[in-house]
Amino acid sequence: MKKILGLLLVILTSGQVYAQNTYVFFGSFNRDKTTEGLYVYRMDTLRGKLKKISSVKGILNPSFLTLSPDGKYLFACTESKTKNAGSVSSFKFNPEDGKLTFINSQKSGGENPVYLTVHQSGRWLVNGNYTEGSISVYPISENGRINPRAQRYQFSEGSINEDRQDRSHIHSTVFSPDFKDLFAPDLGADKIRSYHFKSDETEPLQVAEQPFVTTIAGTGPRHFTFHPNGKFAYCIEELGGAVDAYSYNDGKLEAIQRINTHTDEVKENFESSDIHISPDGRFLYASNRGDENNIAIFSIRENGTLEIVGYQPTFGKQLRVFDIDEMGNFLIVTNASTGNAFVFKRDIKTGLLKKVGRKVKIYGVSTVKIRRY
């Protein structure tokens, strides 16, 4: 009996430690540097509850967040949607007290930075600028400081939607699983641009032999992700409301499927936004806005194609970004228009979601990142 009680105590203690060391980072469209822009919460991974630990003022509109591979530094798109501005900023994170400390900022090369990614070496930061349609590359120092920009690629061509595609609009920058290539969906040009990434060079971003793949005109490719097995990639269309599935090999993409993210009842006014795959590679999640505010859930077949499983309402409007924790147990959504975030427990067998915990209220919440420490 004592052994059983002892074992239960170890399990409960381990669960408590896990909960105390899983942090959730939120950014917001705060519109004012005197108000909070970044938030740090601790997640109880037994019940999915979030507890606010700290916040940061003095920065404007942190619209997208990413972390260094070791989790020591948080990088943010800042001054997003700010005329004649736009920057990328670095913060040091202390997991002992859950606080962020500002390090520095650099100009993003555009007034609306919307996406950041860090190379596995931790030495390079790549930013996508939406409004101007450009990609910027920055060296990162060992202390997390962002150095002056090393490269900037500027694009101009648009596509057939005069209101939304008057020019190039880079919406994400994503490394391949081996970090030797970089892919950048261009919503304005209906292209997924591709580059080789030579991390030992002073100008690492180099145009690939296949410089881009073209999506269907007017569909507006937005966010992009790779399957954990490295054989498949998926791009969500903001304007087309669909997911494009690709086979992937040696830096090249080949289309294998296009499937709607929205229900058959919705014929117009739909926008898709973010896309993620569960760590076990079995399910893909894609978010919808407009008349639908939900997450489409797909199972992933062995050949990389998708099959719809169901839809989960997000209990808010204008879901921009969501994230899945590294264990695959929880998914967190951010509803910008309604200023709320929710935690969902993920059924690892069916892929379905169930809302847990309480609603988190954050004005203009724009993005979320989950990390276990």
Side-chain angles (χ1 to χ4, degrees):
M1 186 66 179
K2 289 183 178 180
K3 289 183 178 180
I4 294 174
L5 290 174
L7 180 60
L8 287 173
L9 181 62
V10 170
I11 292 172
L12 290 173
T13 303
S14 298
Q16 187 177 12
V17 171
Y18 180 98
Q20 290 175 343
N21 289 276
T22 297
Y23 286 98
V24 181
F25 305 88
F26 292 105
S28 70
F29 290 118
N30 56 338
R31 309 295 180 186
D32 184 350
K33 288 186 178 182
T34 64
T35 62
E36 296 169 305
L38 285 175
Y39 302 78
V40 180
Y41 282 72
R42 182 181 291 131
M43 182 164 69
D44 176 348
T45 53
L46 296 178
R47 296 173 293 176
K49 294 180 65 176
L50 296 177
K51 180 182 179 180
K52 184 179 176 182
I53 303 300
S54 66
S55 61
V56 177
K57 297 181 180 179
I59 57 168
L60 186 66
N61 293 351
S63 63
F64 191 85
L65 306 176
T66 195
L67 289 156
S68 61
D70 58 12
K72 291 182 179 179
Y73 306 105
L74 179 79
F75 301 99
C77 292
T78 45
E79 296 185 86
S80 295
K81 297 187 176 181
T82 306
K83 192 172 183 179
N84 300 319
S87 58
V88 291
S89 300
S90 176
F91 300 82
K92 184 177 181 179
F93 180 64
N94 182 355
E96 294 184 5
D97 60 13
K99 292 183 178 180
L100 290 164
T101 303
F102 176 74
I103 299 175
N104 80 316
S105 293
Q106 295 285 354
K107 291 297 182 182
S108 68
E111 69 180 35
N112 194 8
V114 292
Y115 201 97
L116 285 170
T117 189
V118 183
H119 189 265
Q120 66 175 352
S121 66
R123 294 174 47 238
W124 296 102
L125 180 71
V126 184
N127 158 237
N129 293 297
Y130 177 82
T131 303
E132 289 79 9
S134 63
I135 300 172
S136 299
V137 183
Y138 305 84
I140 304 173
S141 298
E142 290 184 1
N143 62 1
R145 187 177 184 84
I146 305 172
N147 293 312
R149 188 172 61 236
Q151 283 180 285
R152 181 173 181 266
Y153 279 88
Q154 177 71 61
F155 313 100
S156 59
E157 73 267 37
S159 191
I160 63 172
N161 186 324
E162 294 182 0
D163 293 331
R164 297 295 308 279
Q165 297 179 309
D166 59 322
R167 59 168 301 158
S168 170
H169 296 304
I170 299 297
H171 220 309
S172 57
T173 51
V174 179
F175 280 109
S176 60
D178 61 8
F179 288 84
K180 294 181 179 179
D181 295 280
L182 184 99
F183 294 85
D186 188 334
L187 184 149
D190 288 319
K191 292 179 178 179
I192 302 174
R193 302 184 185 278
S194 58
Y195 294 85
H196 295 314
F197 199 87
K198 308 292 185 181
S199 60
D200 293 331
E201 302 286 339
T202 55
E203 295 187 348
L205 204 60
Q206 301 175 10
V207 178
E209 292 79 11
Q210 183 190 58
F212 59 83
V213 295
T214 302
T215 63
I216 295 174
T219 56
R222 178 182 170 107
H223 281 189
F224 189 80
T225 191
F226 281 92
H227 192 280
N229 65 15
K231 297 179 180 180
F232 308 107
Y234 303 86
C235 185
I236 192 165
E237 305 168 355
E238 177 168 336
L239 307 181
V243 173
D244 297 309
Y246 298 89
S247 62
Y248 176 73
N249 183 46
D250 193 26
K252 296 181 180 180
L253 300 170
E254 184 176 346
I256 56 176
Q257 184 191 26
R258 181 174 185 266
I259 184 170
N260 287 340
T261 60
H262 53 86
T263 61
D264 293 338
E265 288 75 20
V266 177
K267 304 300 181 183
E268 58 183 12
N269 192 28
F270 51 80
E271 288 188 352
S272 300
S273 56
D274 201 9
I275 187 168
H276 292 279
I277 295 175
S278 59
D280 61 12
R282 296 182 58 207
F283 297 96
L284 180 144
Y285 299 83
S287 54
N288 293 303
R289 305 180 293 186
D291 287 343
E292 285 189 312
N293 289 280
N294 62 27
I295 290 182
I297 305 167
F298 299 91
S299 62
I300 305 175
R301 302 186 182 101
E302 288 188 7
N303 64 0
T305 59
L306 305 176
E307 181 179 3
I308 190 68
V309 171
Y311 300 89
Q312 173 61 54
T314 63
F315 305 102
K317 295 182 179 180
Q318 199 188 7
L319 169 58
R320 294 189 74 256
V321 175
F322 65 94
D323 198 19
I324 301 174
D325 77 299
E326 61 193 274
M327 302 299 290
N329 294 323
F330 294 93
L331 183 150
I332 300 179
V333 303
T334 58
N335 299 305
S337 292
T338 47
N340 53 38
F342 291 94
V343 179
F344 293 87
K345 176 71 173 177
R346 199 179 73 85
D347 188 314
I348 60 174
K349 293 182 179 179
T350 66
L352 298 177
L353 304 171
K354 179 181 180 181
K355 184 166 67 71
V356 294
R358 296 179 179 178
K359 173 175 64 178
V360 175
K361 295 182 179 180
I362 299 176
Y363 175 81
V365 62
S366 58
T367 185
V368 60
K369 198 70 179 176
I370 310 168
R371 173 76 184 230
R372 181 183 177 184
Y373 287 85

